[in-house]
Amino acid sequence: MLLIRTSIALFLIILSTFFLLSADTKVDLQSQSRLPQSDSVSPSKQLALKYCSSCHLFPEPSLLDKKAWTDKVLPNMGWRLGIRKKGDDPYADIVPEERALVQKLNIYPDVATITQSDWKKIIAYFEHEAPEEPLPQQNHDSISGTLALFSPKQIVFDDKQLPRTTMLKFDSASNELYAGDGQSKLYILNNNFGFKSAWNVESPPVDIDFPNSEPPQLLTVGSISPSDQKNGRLVTFDTTFTIQNPPVNIDHLPRPVQFAHADLDMDGKQDAIVCGFGNNTGKLAWYSDCKIDGENILSNMPGARKVEIGDFNKDGKPDIMVLMAQAWEEVVIWYNQGKGKFKEKKLLRFPPVFGVSYFELADFNKDGYPDILLTNGDNWDYSRINKNYHGVRIYLNDGKYNFKEHWFFPLYGASKAIARDFDNDGDIDIAAISFYNTLENPANGFVYFSNEGNLDFKPASLPDAAAGKWLTMEAADFDHDGDIDIVLGSYFHNIEEMSSLVNIVNISSFPQLLVLNNETQ
């Protein structure tokens, strides 16, 4: 679906952005405490219902506290509806090269699409109904501070003031770990995490794949920070300097974050599916034969975060499952119809403050159908508060690719979770990281969930996890001893962020990586 730019369509899109809430979520807003309603606010509620319920379910104001609504979210929404107070400049904090792009997209229209009177009533409703403070997390098992399964080891392979690890990917064929860095570098380590080589690249690496009998393909993001500039690239990574013209060189990508390979058009050649996350605009596209002129756009919406490939309807053709973030948060399957055509089916939909950050597939209940492991905790938006609905979730597949939430563990800032049988007991366990948290309990930046059977998970962490902010995570049997190890990659935005961590915990060293060696006997 193309990004619509007319004022009326923009109005509907913005309403869906801020008022979208699906019955598929397990945020039980009806059971959460709310301020009592009175006759004085009912017209405001009716007005809000009128504008959003025609397309979507109505969101409870309890998703955010009063201050977040009135100081951050609603003012920005007002700008997007053409409502500005005297002296307001929506572009004040946008760098010049981004400002022109945002103005061209008409994100902040000059002409109001709602009356001042109606807008004030909507503000009054949310201001009255929202809680004074963010609602607390539901009761859950406490996270144990002891984790005997893993032995931690800090790794530093370059003299950097700030760790800024943007990617971790292990190549089992070469026994090498590839680590991306925010300063546009790519490091190659051996399976003992010893330094082998370093490479300057165009922009920070975020993903890499290792096709059989071919050089790796590297994805660079363009900009780690939110941006509408198209400076990302998917390119053959040649360490031999023997390739004159890279066989893969797809540029002008909108802030891509992940890609995958599959023969989608079934011509015997691998195609590339690229998640162009973008910012206000983005792109989910696949490239026939990994060529830039073979582009096929599935969606021009921003927020494509991760794809999984599989023959989900068992018709012999590879389908695409994708996690979409940003305002239009959802999990979608694109069913392969053949001849390069795809049909979309929405599996899960979430409110825009849900903060989906990662997903992967695993058969948790051993029924032969892939279930969804999902994290939501992205807090880089207009409401940087603790949200009681952020955490790690399992959605079980009913065999017809209808998904229902079965398990939820609240974890502020949850950014990634992976499903593996770490303790070799036949059940799938979970390892999760929390990057978008407020550093109140840094050790919980990594949490291991041991599956005790019947999807009963016991959470644990370890003190060494307090030594970083873990943006990336990879799992593999690095030491070839028959169990799965974990490596975490740390990323600090600035010295102030690192200093705040020093003030909380008694730690003086901040490694680039933390290796968790599996001690399963």
Side-chain angles (χ1 to χ4, degrees), residues 264-266 286 296 298 317 336-342:
L264 296 175
D265 51 12
M266 305 186 72
W286 65 277
N296 299 271
L298 296 174
K317 297 184 288 291
N336 194 334
Q337 305 296 293
K339 299 182 179 180
K341 304 297 182 182
F342 289 82

Side-chain angles (χ1 to χ4, degrees), residues 29 32-36 60-70 125-136 385-386 388-389:
L29 301 177
Q32 294 178 348
S33 60
R34 293 186 292 164
L35 299 176
E60 291 292 339
S62 56
L63 282 170
L64 303 173
D65 69 301
K66 193 185 304 291
K67 184 176 178 62
W69 279 116
T70 58
Y125 169 71
F126 281 94
E127 186 173 17
H128 185 277
E129 293 296 307
E132 291 291 340
E133 301 291 337
L135 296 178
I385 60 172
N386 285 337
N388 65 342
Y389 43 87

Side-chain angles (χ1 to χ4, degrees), residues 213-225:
S213 304
E214 295 181 16
Q217 293 179 19
L218 179 69
L219 185 68
T220 54
V221 69
S223 173
I224 293 292
S225 300

Side-chain angles (χ1 to χ4, degrees), residues 182-235:
Q183 294 180 334
S184 303
K185 276 198 170 184
L186 178 64
Y187 297 91
I188 302 178
L189 312 180
N190 62 31
N191 67 316
N192 293 315
F193 309 100
F195 176 86
K196 291 188 68 174
S197 61
W199 305 82
N200 293 317
V201 293
E202 189 173 34
S203 66
V206 288
D207 201 6
I208 193 169
D209 195 23
F210 311 100
N212 293 332
S213 304
E214 295 181 16
Q217 293 179 19
L218 179 69
L219 185 68
T220 54
V221 69
S223 173
I224 293 292
S225 300
S227 173
D228 285 301
Q229 298 184 69
K230 299 178 180 179
N231 294 328
R233 186 187 299 267
L234 177 63
V235 65

Side-chain angles (χ1 to χ4, degrees), residues 78-96:
W79 287 350
R80 293 170 182 259
L81 297 175
I83 301 292
R84 303 182 194 178
K85 295 179 181 179
K86 186 177 180 179
D88 278 0
D89 180 7
Y91 307 100
D93 297 327
I94 302 177
V95 296

Side-chain angles (χ1 to χ4, degrees), residues 251-416:
D251 60 1
H252 292 93
L253 295 173
R255 203 165 161 240
V257 293
Q258 188 257 350
F259 76 106
H261 285 116
D263 184 8
L264 296 175
D265 51 12
M266 305 186 72
D267 64 352
K269 300 178 182 179
Q270 289 292 292
D271 311 311
I273 307 96
V274 181
C275 291
F277 192 97
N279 186 27
N280 291 296
T281 61
K283 182 166 59 180
L284 174 66
W286 65 277
Y287 297 83
S288 181
D289 303 342
C290 298
K291 302 295 184 183
I292 191 170
D293 58 2
E295 181 182 71
N296 299 271
I297 298 175
L298 296 174
S299 172
N300 271 317
M301 303 301 287
R305 173 62 185 92
K306 185 176 185 284
V307 294
E308 292 270 6
I309 308 299
D311 183 9
F312 300 121
N313 57 0
K314 305 299 182 183
D315 66 350
K317 297 184 288 291
D319 308 307
I320 302 169
M321 189 181 297
V322 59
L323 175 67
M324 299 294 295
Q326 289 293 78
W328 295 266
E329 301 195 18
E330 56 191 14
V331 179
V332 176
I333 284 184
W334 291 88
Y335 284 112
N336 194 334
Q337 305 296 293
K339 299 182 179 180
K341 304 297 182 182
F342 289 82
K343 183 178 180 180
E344 180 184 16
K345 177 187 176 182
K346 297 183 186 299
L347 304 179
L348 299 168
R349 304 179 74 184
F350 311 103
V353 293
F354 204 65
V356 293
S357 49
Y358 193 82
F359 92 120
E360 65 177 48
L361 302 178
D363 186 5
F364 280 95
N365 57 0
K366 304 177 185 178
D367 65 351
Y369 295 96
D371 308 305
I372 292 176
L373 174 65
L374 181 142
T375 56
N376 66 301
D378 187 346
N379 227 14
W380 283 5
D381 55 20
Y382 300 106
S383 56
R384 298 188 182 186
I385 60 172
N386 285 337
K387 299 180 174 73
N388 65 342
Y389 43 87
H390 278 179
V392 186
R393 302 167 188 271
I394 295 174
Y395 294 88
L396 294 183
N397 188 338
D398 69 354
K400 299 179 181 179
Y401 285 83
N402 302 305
F403 291 86
K404 184 177 181 180
E405 184 180 302
H406 178 82
W407 177 81
F408 167 62
F409 188 90
L411 183 65
Y412 293 135
S415 51
K416 183 175 181 177

